[in-house]
Amino acid sequence: MAKRDGSEVFRITGARQGLADDVRGRQRRYIISMTVRTLSVIAAAVLWNVERHVAIVALALGILLPYIAVVIANAGRESAPSLPSTFVPAPVRPALGVAEASADADTERPYGRN
């Protein structure tokens, strides 16, 4: 990650990337994908009478890339796995053990026997 003035910035927290940086990255990926799509459609038109198989592949790429580019651009923000979970487990209460119950039964003798 670099600042606009060229100096490098290190991330030291588990915080997510800033919204402006996220939008900029998604826009960059979309523009790159649309540039590849435009070049593949142009290649399909140029190669149609020269190499028909390559032109068909380039045309298929030009048809499929807009869908893929939109899905990638709208994928949303990255997840932040290092952030704490919002789920707080309930405290566990210890159960009475078998040894404690049998020890109590030995000390209290029913019917007056000692």
Side-chain angles (χ1 to χ4, degrees), residues 13 34-35 39 74 102 104 110:
T13 67
M34 287 296 104
T35 303
L39 293 175
N74 292 332
S102 63
D104 291 339

Side-chain angles (χ1 to χ4, degrees), residues 50-63:
V50 179
E51 189 68 39
R52 179 98 20 133
H53 299 296
V54 177
I56 290 172
V57 170
L59 188 61
L61 185 65
I63 291 171

Side-chain angles (χ1 to χ4, degrees), residues 27-49:
Q27 286 175 341
R28 184 179 306 125
R29 287 189 298 270
Y30 183 79
I31 289 172
I32 291 170
S33 179
M34 287 296 104
T35 303
V36 170
R37 181 224 183 198
T38 303
L39 293 175
S40 67
V41 170
I42 292 171
V46 169
L47 295 174
W48 190 258
N49 288 328

